[in-house]
């Protein structure tokens, strides 16, 4: 069998071949892969950029849990994994999460191909059967579930060996998975889904005001476009709508009227003056407290020193120290 014929063969076994793997996927790697894909889309201006990362988790026989992930670097040829970077990151994660092992790797593609087989061979030094997790961006907006009932745009594959014409080759078997979450993960995912907001009443109020202002702006722009189209003759003139617009404009305050501007400026100056006086009053109060503390501190020092000339407080009034002497 020639190399070209081998490359043309599908690298995924038919759906009739099932994997006995029990795979559990946690939310954190899903969020990491999604963030990695979104960031690379913006950086490369490509809908399906090439991304590569490692999967960390635990394995007990045929039971596998994917708990975390991190990005990987590739050489300039785009197909060779930077092994030094992989080993360094894996050791750093091992120090923080001793129970997590290298489980497999992830990427973005429509389906596994010969390129993924070449990448797979580079990970066998860290795991005898590294799993492959593929994100399929084209299925993000799919409304129907697949045969396994999964709606996430993710496919998991287990590597295996196929014998064909007395020759062995590496292929993949699709493996079903379940999404498992702990209490802490549910809280973190819920917080992330809300955009990391604190959920305070002030933030909720400001968001409501922002949505209302945006809606008002959109409607004003729509009315402005309609009037412009009527003037240009590209839109049909509706006299009822134009009368309603005229009545609405007439009910607005005359912001360009000279009397309105003078009254507005006067109120604005009054508000600024009130704020300025409040600041002066607060500063004077702070200064008064500082002087009182200084007088008390000076009197205490003189009492500890014993005797001495009589001292008078502010405005020539005798202090408590003078009364005792």
């Amino acid at each position: 069998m020639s190399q070209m014929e081998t490359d043309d063969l599908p690298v995924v076994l038919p759906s009739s071949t099932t994997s006995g793997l029990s795979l559990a996927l946690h939310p954190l790697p899903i969020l990491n892969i999604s963030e990695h894909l979104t960031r690379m889309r913006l950086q490369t201006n490509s809908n399906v950029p090439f991304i590569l990362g490692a999967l960390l988790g635990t394995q007990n026989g045929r039971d596998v849990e994917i708990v975390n992930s991190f990005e990987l670097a590739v050489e300039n040829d785009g197909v060779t994994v930077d092994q030094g970077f992989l080993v360094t990151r894996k050791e750093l994660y091992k120090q923080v999460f001793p129970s997590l092992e290298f489980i497999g790797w992830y990427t973005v593609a429509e389906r596994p191909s010969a390129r993924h087989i070449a990448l797979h061979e580079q990970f066998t030094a860290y795991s005898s059967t590294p799993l492959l997790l593929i994100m399929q961006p084209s299925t993000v907006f799919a409304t129907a579930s697949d045969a396994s009932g999964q709606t996430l745009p993710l496919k998991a594959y287990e590597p295996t060996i196929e014998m064909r014409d007395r020759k062995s080759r590496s292929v993949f078997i699709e493996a079903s998975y379940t999404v498992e979450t702990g209490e802490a993960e549910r809280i973190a995912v819920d917080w992330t889904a809300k955009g990391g907001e604190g959920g305070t009443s002030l933030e909720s109020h400001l968001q409501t005001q922002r949505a209302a202002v945006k809606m008002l702006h959109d409607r004003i722009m729509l009315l402005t476009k309609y009037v412009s189209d009527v003037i240009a003759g590209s839109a049909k003139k509706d006299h009822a709508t134009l009368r309603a617009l005229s009545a609405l404009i007439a009910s607005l305050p005359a912001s360009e009227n000279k009397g309105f501007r003078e009254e507005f400026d006067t109120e604005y100056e009054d508000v600024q003056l009130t704020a300025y006086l409040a600041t002066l009053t607060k500063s004077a109060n702070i200064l008064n407290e500082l002087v009182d503390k200084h007088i008390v501190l000076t009197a205490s020092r003189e009492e500890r020193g014993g005797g001495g000339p009589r001292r008078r407080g502010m405005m020539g009034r005798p202090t408590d120290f003078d009364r005792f002497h």
Side-chain angles (χ1 to χ4, degrees):
M1 183 180 297
S2 65
Q3 180 66 30
M4 181 175 297
E5 292 174 346
T6 303
D7 293 340
D8 292 338
L9 291 175
V11 298
V12 179
L13 295 182
S15 57
S16 58
T17 305
T18 59
S19 171
L21 193 67
S22 176
L23 180 60
L25 183 61
H26 286 252
L28 182 57
I30 300 177
L31 294 176
N32 289 342
I33 297 172
S34 301
E35 186 275 334
H36 191 185
L37 174 61
T38 303
R39 178 159 36 84
M40 292 303 297
R41 275 179 171 176
L42 296 176
Q43 293 177 356
T44 61
N45 198 23
S46 172
N47 290 330
V48 187
F50 174 71
I51 66 172
L52 190 66
L55 301 174
L56 301 178
T58 60
Q59 182 170 4
N60 183 14
R62 299 291 290 171
D63 297 331
V64 179
E65 285 192 23
I66 301 177
V67 180
N68 205 343
S69 65
F70 62 85
E71 302 174 21
L72 291 177
V74 294
E75 303 292 347
N76 295 330
D77 57 5
V79 295
T80 304
V81 180
D82 189 339
Q83 301 294 334
F85 181 84
L86 170 58
V87 173
T88 301
R89 292 296 300 272
K90 188 169 71 71
E91 292 177 350
L92 291 175
Y93 271 86
K94 189 67 175 178
Q95 296 176 7
V96 182
F97 307 102
S99 61
L100 299 186
E101 301 289 344
F102 179 85
I103 296 297
W105 55 290
Y106 70 82
T107 186
V108 173
E110 292 295 330
R111 61 185 63 84
S113 61
R115 181 187 186 186
H116 298 105
I117 294 294
L119 289 170
H120 161 77
E121 300 295 338
Q122 303 180 52
F123 296 110
T124 54
Y126 311 102
S127 176
S128 57
T129 55
L131 302 178
L132 170 60
L133 187 65
I134 287 185
M135 173 170 279
Q136 301 170 319
S138 61
T139 62
V140 171
F141 301 103
T143 56
S145 304
D146 56 11
S148 60
Q150 298 169 356
T151 56
L152 291 175
L154 294 169
K155 294 286 186 180
Y157 297 92
E158 180 186 10
T160 187
I161 301 297
E162 181 191 35
M163 298 298 299
R164 182 183 291 267
D165 297 335
R166 297 183 180 181
K167 292 184 179 180
S168 62
R169 70 186 186 103
S170 297
V171 291
F172 293 108
I173 302 177
E174 183 175 345
S176 60
Y177 63 87
T178 58
V179 178
E180 292 189 2
T181 59
E183 185 64 26
E185 289 176 319
R186 281 195 292 269
I187 295 174
V189 170
D190 181 68
W191 184 82
T192 304
K194 293 180 179 179
E197 301 169 355
T200 63
S201 58
L202 176 60
E203 291 177 350
S204 178
H205 174 71
L206 292 178
Q207 288 179 356
T208 303
Q209 295 295 325
R210 180 181 181 276
V213 172
K214 184 177 182 301
M215 183 181 297
L216 176 62
H217 177 267
D218 294 341
R219 294 185 177 183
I220 291 176
M221 294 303 297
L222 180 63
L223 293 175
T224 303
K225 184 177 183 301
Y226 169 73
V227 173
S228 300
D229 293 343
V230 168
I231 295 176
S234 57
K236 184 179 179 181
K237 184 181 296 185
D238 186 351
H239 294 282
T241 302
L242 294 177
R243 284 194 298 269
L245 281 175
S246 178
L248 177 62
I249 295 173
S251 64
L252 296 176
S255 58
E256 298 302 326
N257 184 272
K258 182 178 180 181
F260 172 81
R261 177 55 59 183
E262 291 178 354
E263 183 178 355
F264 177 80
D265 292 340
T266 301
E267 292 185 2
Y268 178 76
E269 292 171 358
D270 291 343
V271 171
Q272 295 295 322
L273 179 60
T274 303
Y276 179 66
L277 291 176
T279 304
L280 285 180
T281 304
K282 185 177 180 179
S283 301
N285 187 36
I286 295 174
L287 180 60
N288 188 28
E289 292 178 356
L290 180 61
V291 172
D292 290 342
K293 292 178 181 178
H294 177 70
I295 292 174
V296 173
L297 181 60
T298 303
S300 300
R301 288 180 179 175
E302 291 180 354
E303 287 180 358
R304 289 196 299 269
R310 291 170 58 90
R311 296 184 179 273
R312 305 185 68 82
M314 293 181 65
M315 305 301 294
R317 294 175 296 182
T319 63
D320 294 338
F321 178 78
D322 296 331
R323 298 191 185 98
F324 285 111
H325 289 75

